[in-house]
Each structure stands twice: as structure tokens, then as C-alpha cells.
Amino acid sequence: MTDATYEYMDETSIDPELICSICHSPLVDPHCTPCSETFCRECITNWLETQSTSCPHCRQTLSINNLTQAPRSLRNMLDRLRIKCTICGQDGLLRVNAEEHIEKVCPKRIVPCQSADIKCPWMGQRDQLNEHLLTCRYEAMRSIITGILMENLQLEDTAHKQITQINEQRDELRHLNSQMNQQQAQFFVLQTQNQTLLELTTQLKIQVKTYHRQNQQLNEELKQKEAQIALIKSKPRVKKLSSRSRTTSLPKLDCGGRACSKCGKCCDWYYNDYDINDYINDNGKRHGATCRNTNGRNHMCDCDRKKKE
């Protein structure tokens, strides 16, 4: 693997054991395979990820986990290789010091202004930095700009906190909206149930009124029945004529009753438990009465009834 910031001095004289067989340049961060072949770590990693899963040297299956770091003696030899900086042209540098030279020493390296942290846009060679600093307005106003930047950072932090609070409040609002929707749905269900209960209540009220009217009618009918019963109880009951009350002077008929002195028919009336009601309702006219003979209607005396009529 090559680095564009430097080049090797007298590269043809470098030991072939220090050359990577993939990039054909001196090894960088050398790693060894199980077959003891050494490659740049970046080169062998790219090979296994894009080219093949086998070793470029022995063609055996190989994975990145099988790689091991090269011995320290080999790494020390590579660090002592002489290089030349391609930026400033300085030669005779050790490869181990290449990064330090580029980042801290090389006069031609493009570097930012020291006031880049306060937004100075200048970029130039390191050997021109001191000259720029003499006229840099950002550096001259560092204290003011730093205060402004610090205030800006505080405002950004406050804004970030407020945005976080707003997001939390939005989440809480969405949660409250969800709860409100659920409660609204429950309210609609309860409202429907309430309407149903109102309708049932109305129907029950109608039924109660109907039952009340029917109860009044029944009470009136009951009162009428009670009045009829009281009337019946107030009238004297007709008793059966006993054989002792019969007139012994009248001849007895075949039915066992007494004969009327005028018409000779049976005048010994007999009432059962049902016929006596007919007698009471007919004001004693003896409708429905019989003599003691089962066929007694043909032998019944009408004299007393005709007198009463």
C-alpha cells in the first residue's frame, strides 16, 4: 500500500522480503498468514473481501481472523526505511516519522488558521500561517467571537432541550388524544345504553299504567261482588221444610210430600244447594223448585205461587 504524502528513496534497493506481493510496495502494518506469507493489512483485507477467500500465496482457505501481526523485528526494519516528503521535498526522513512530519513540521502542508474554531475560513501553507495571523481579523476578535460562540452554543443547547420537551409534550398530547378517543367511544356506548334504558323505562311506565287501570277495574268488580255477597247474606235463607212442620191433616202423596187442600198436588217444596239461589233471586216465586219425587214438576202445587203473583 502506497502513501501519496511520501515516496521511498532508492526503492529498488529495498529487501524483497519487505515488499507486499499484492501492492508491490513496502509493507504497511504487516500481517502474516498461516502459511507465513506477509501482506499489508489493508491489502489482504481488501483481497479477502473483494477478490477471493483463499490466500494469494498458497491458495488455501483464509479469513481475516486467521491473520496475525508480523514480528517486531520486521516492523522495525520497515520503520527505518528512508523516505522523501512529496509535499515539501525534504528527504532522508525515516518512515516511522512520516506522520509526525506531515502533521507538525512540513512547511508546505495545507493547514487551517488557528482561529478556524471561531469560523476563520483561511487555508494555506504552514509557512504562511504566521503571516496570516498578523492580519487575521478572527484572531484579533477571538475574545468577542468566543463569547458569541459560547452564547450560541448555550442557545443551541437550550433550543435542543426545548425541542426535546416539545417532542415529549407531543407524545403526551398524542397519548391524551388516544385516551380521549377511547373515552369518547365509551361515552357513545353509554349514551346508547342510556337511550335503550329510557325506552325500556317508557315501556314499563305504560305497562304500569295499564296494570293500574286493570287493578282499578278489578277493585271495582270486587266491590260489586262484595256488595252482592253482602246483599245475599242480608236476606233470610230458605230452609228445608222438615217433616215435623207438615200438616198431618193433609193426605200423603206417593212422592212422600203433602197434598194441597185445593188442588191436591204436592206442596212439600224441596230445594237443593243450587236451586235455593234461584228461589232467593226470584223473590220466593219457587222457580226451579221440585217436590221430593224425581218427576215432581208435574205434581207441583201452583196455588201458593199464583197467590203471590
Side-chain angles (χ1 to χ4, degrees):
M1 183 184 69
T2 59
D3 190 332
T5 60
Y6 62 84
E7 60 184 20
Y8 293 94
M9 298 176 63
D10 196 12
E11 188 172 353
T12 57
S13 63
I14 296 176
D15 189 342
E17 296 295 328
L18 304 179
I19 302 299
C20 174
S21 61
I22 295 177
C23 64
H24 306 291
S25 297
L27 294 163
V28 177
D29 189 12
H31 276 66
C32 301
T33 63
C35 64
S36 300
E37 187 66 17
T38 306
F39 303 94
C40 302
R41 177 174 177 80
E42 184 175 348
C43 292
I44 189 62
T45 300
N46 290 337
W47 173 274
L48 294 175
E49 289 179 351
T50 61
Q51 299 294 328
S52 175
T53 58
S54 61
C55 175
H57 178 70
C58 66
R59 301 301 176 183
Q60 296 295 321
T61 302
L62 179 66
S63 69
I64 296 176
N65 295 331
N66 299 134
L67 300 176
T68 59
Q69 194 175 41
R72 179 176 293 277
S73 58
L74 178 62
R75 288 184 280 125
N76 289 339
M77 292 174 63
L78 291 167
D79 288 341
R80 289 193 294 270
L81 291 175
R82 297 288 177 173
I83 62 170
K84 175 183 178 181
C85 177
T86 57
I87 299 175
C88 66
Q90 182 178 349
D91 56 10
L93 300 172
L94 297 179
R95 195 181 79 168
V96 69
N97 298 326
E99 184 176 357
E100 182 180 4
H101 170 78
I102 296 298
E103 295 297 329
K104 297 181 180 181
V105 180
C106 181
K108 301 300 181 181
R109 174 68 184 273
I110 301 299
V111 295
C113 175
Q114 294 180 359
S115 299
D117 59 331
I118 55 174
K119 309 302 181 182
C120 178
W122 183 88
M123 296 284 290
Q125 295 178 354
R126 182 176 279 111
D127 57 1
Q128 298 174 354
L129 177 59
N130 291 334
E131 182 180 356
H132 164 72
L133 292 176
L134 295 175
T135 59
C136 180
R137 292 176 297 175
Y138 288 87
E139 187 66 22
M141 300 175 62
R142 171 175 286 276
S143 60
I144 298 174
I145 296 176
T146 300
I148 295 173
L149 291 175
M150 289 298 295
E151 185 178 355
N152 186 47
L153 289 175
Q154 292 176 357
L155 291 174
E156 288 180 355
D157 183 62
T158 302
H160 178 71
K161 291 180 180 178
Q162 290 179 350
I163 290 172
T164 302
Q165 291 178 353
I166 290 172
N167 291 333
E168 291 176 353
Q169 291 175 353
R170 285 178 178 173
D171 293 338
E172 185 177 359
L173 181 61
R174 282 194 290 268
H175 180 66
L176 292 175
N177 285 334
S178 176
Q179 288 184 339
M180 185 180 69
N181 291 334
Q182 292 177 359
Q183 292 177 354
Q184 190 174 11
Q186 292 176 355
F187 173 76
F188 288 149
V189 172
L190 292 174
Q191 192 176 29
T192 302
Q193 292 177 349
N194 183 53
Q195 184 64 30
T196 303
L197 290 175
L198 289 176
E199 293 176 357
L200 290 174
T201 302
T202 303
Q203 294 177 0
L204 289 174
K205 286 181 178 180
I206 295 173
Q207 291 179 358
V208 168
K209 290 180 179 179
T210 302
Y211 293 153
H212 183 67
R213 287 195 298 268
Q214 293 177 353
N215 185 47
Q216 288 179 341
Q217 293 176 358
L218 290 174
N219 287 332
E220 292 176 357
E221 293 177 359
L222 181 60
K223 289 179 180 179
Q224 293 176 0
K225 295 292 184 181
E226 290 177 347
Q228 293 177 358
I229 293 173
L231 179 61
I232 293 172
K233 288 182 177 180
S234 63
K235 292 182 179 181
R237 294 186 178 182
V238 178
K239 297 181 179 180
K240 294 181 180 179
L241 296 176
S242 63
S243 58
R244 295 179 181 178
S245 62
R246 297 172 184 172
T247 306
T248 56
S249 61
L250 297 176
K252 292 185 177 181
L253 301 177
D254 293 337
C255 66
R258 296 175 300 155
C260 177
S261 59
K262 295 181 179 181
C263 65
K265 293 183 180 181
C266 179
C267 62
D268 194 5
W269 297 92
Y270 172 78
Y271 297 92
N272 58 31
D273 293 340
Y274 299 99
D275 294 334
I276 193 169
N277 291 328
D278 295 332
Y279 170 78
I280 294 171
N281 292 333
D282 290 342
N283 297 319
K285 295 180 179 180
R286 300 179 181 177
H287 290 171
T290 62
C291 70
R292 293 188 182 278
N293 188 350
T294 55
N295 297 321
R297 285 188 180 276
N298 296 327
H299 303 285
M300 292 169 59
C301 173
D302 293 332
C303 297
D304 293 339
R305 182 174 64 81
K306 289 181 180 179
K307 290 179 180 179
K308 292 182 178 180
E309 293 178 345

